[in-house]
Amino acid sequence: MERKRWECSALPQGWKREEVTRKSGLSAGKSDVYYYSPSGKKFRSKPQLARYLGNSMDLSSFDFRTGKMLMSKLNKNRQRLRYDANNQAKGKPDLNTSLPVRQTASIFKQPVTKVTNHPSNKVKTDPQKAIDQPRQLFWEKKLNGLNAFDIAEELVKTMELPKGLQGVGPGCTDETLLSAIASALHTSTAPITGQLSAAVEKNPGVWLNTTQPLCKAFMVTDEDIRKQEELVYNVRKKLEEALMADMLAHVEEASCDGDAVKEEGDETEDMEDCDTARLQRALLLLALAAGMAQVL
DNA sequence: CGGATCGGCAT
DNA sequence: ATGCCGATCCG
């Protein structure tokens, strides 16, 4: 029947988009859209495509049916995110911990040539997982400017790193350093040593160990460990308090829910927001502190 | 048995 | 309404 299959200009080289019109049955006249990877694998839904691509690509603004990036959808996503953020007081805290990924350029993974000293260089096609894909040098710099905000959009106090930790690479700020280390802790369970080779400081572009964050090798003193233990202890204490306050707030709420005298949307809710914000901040700090405890 | 095609649930 | 995927059909 009507079967169009062409190189789609919006897609990278080798990807095909196909639209098939149903010709019989109750759904006659409707159409199905399929994509074919360069290796010929067929995709019949967006989730399937997303699973295949892994977390390396953001398909949230990709319209599967038309095969284009819809700006409108992008905006809607933004709005939705803000909406969720504002409403976290009503639901669970946002537990999405995936790192930001590139949202521009090619939507799909391209075959990558891996250059090694070995005589038989191979071309990897359709890598299964994004994990072993080469990462951009100094990719951590993309994390610049990302900060934690509480519900009132107040900047959450930034964390102080021990003096022993120093960044490497062009224009590496303390902020980049924190992001880099946090990401490393988040994405891998492997030990974090920083850049062990001293040559990195002379020529980071060449000597950077890409499995480690943009951070110089560091020494850990007993004093560091002691401070860290204290920090974790304090944060746990704060968390305990926040949890207690949260519980009390809910008990109180339950005790006065007969005929509603109070109206929604007044200070009562704002108080709740505040508590939840504190709770979330405490959780965040705890997570970071626990992470740092692992480094040190 | 693998791929094409349609049904039908879930959202 | 329609996206998604299981069921079914067909070579």
Side-chain angles (χ1 to χ4, degrees):
Chain A
M1 208 31 12
E2 199 63 35
R3 171 172 266 193
K4 340 190 163 188
R5 187 164 162 182
W6 64 84
E7 290 269 345
C8 188
S9 55
L11 271 46
Q13 187 63 26
W15 282 82
K16 307 275 191 354
R17 178 182 173 280
E18 180 189 41
E19 184 160 352
V20 183
T21 307
R22 300 190 179 187
K23 57 180 182 182
S24 68
L26 301 172
S27 53
K30 305 286 180 188
S31 67
D32 296 289
V33 174
Y34 306 109
Y35 290 86
Y36 295 86
S37 76
S39 66
K41 183 167 165 62
K42 184 178 183 178
F43 295 91
R44 48 193 211 134
S45 73
K46 192 166 164 178
Q48 187 189 4
L49 192 55
R51 259 177 279 140
Y52 177 80
L53 294 175
N55 295 325
S56 61
M57 288 297 159
D58 178 22
L59 294 183
S60 57
S61 61
F62 178 71
D63 186 272
F64 190 86
R65 173 153 280 279
T66 64
K68 293 171 184 172
M69 298 296 251
L70 272 334
M71 253 350 104
S72 56
K73 210 165 187 190
L74 214 158
N75 285 333
K76 289 225 168 132
N77 286 333
R78 283 259 165 85
Q79 273 183 329
R80 178 54 185 262
L81 282 174
R82 303 233 352 110
Y83 179 81
D84 286 347
N86 287 331
N87 273 3
Q88 274 178 24
K90 297 222 171 84
K92 309 268 188 284
D94 182 5
L95 295 179
N96 179 9
T97 53
S98 60
L99 289 171
V101 294
R102 73 194 304 191
Q103 315 221 0
T104 57
S106 176
I107 313 166
F108 300 90
K109 273 189 281 196
Q110 298 282 59
V112 164
T113 304
K114 188 176 182 181
V115 181
T116 66
N117 293 331
H118 207 72
S120 58
N121 283 339
K122 294 254 168 71
V123 174
K124 288 182 170 182
T125 53
D126 290 350
Q128 201 57 39
K129 286 292 170 193
I131 313 302
D132 30 26
Q133 230 190 357
R135 272 200 290 240
Q136 189 179 6
L137 220 50
F138 310 123
W139 65 274
E140 288 97 329
K141 296 183 71 175
K142 281 188 294 201
L143 302 173
N144 257 343
L146 284 178
N147 286 305
F149 291 85
D150 67 16
I151 276 199
E153 301 192 17
E154 296 277 349
L155 180 58
V156 173
K157 187 175 79 86
T158 175
M159 202 167 96
E160 283 172 31
L161 290 170
K163 278 296 164 219
L165 289 177
Q166 288 183 292
V168 269
C172 185
T173 64
D174 275 4
E175 200 187 334
T176 315
L177 179 59
L178 178 55
S179 296
I181 293 175
S183 299
L185 287 166
H186 175 66
T187 51
S188 151
T189 56
I192 289 169
T193 64
Q195 301 293 327
L196 294 178
S197 161
V200 166
E201 298 181 38
K202 298 272 185 198
N203 193 343
V206 174
W207 292 102
L208 189 76
N209 175 0
T210 54
T211 65
Q212 288 289 327
L214 293 174
C215 168
K216 290 186 194 172
F218 44 84
M219 287 284 290
V220 180
T221 65
D222 286 348
E223 175 68 5
D224 286 329
I225 294 175
R226 202 191 57 74
K227 274 190 177 172
Q228 203 56 35
E229 283 172 348
E230 189 183 322
L231 184 61
V232 172
Y233 175 81
N234 285 333
V235 170
R236 285 191 173 149
K237 193 105 178 170
K238 279 189 186 171
L239 175 63
E240 185 185 338
E241 288 168 14
L243 283 169
M244 199 60 78
D246 194 54
M247 275 179 57
L248 289 176
H250 280 89
V251 168
E252 199 158 322
E253 178 187 350
S255 67
C256 60
D257 79 8
D259 290 2
V261 182
K262 284 181 183 164
E263 284 169 325
E264 301 270 326
D266 56 11
E267 314 121 298
T268 312
E269 265 201 353
D270 292 341
M271 294 287 287
E272 258 184 79
D273 280 354
C274 185
D275 279 342
T276 311
R278 279 172 45 202
L279 174 62
Q280 281 182 245
R281 181 159 52 207
L283 282 167
L284 176 66
L285 284 170
L286 176 64
L288 282 171
M292 290 307 296
Q294 280 174 27
V295 189
L296 299 174

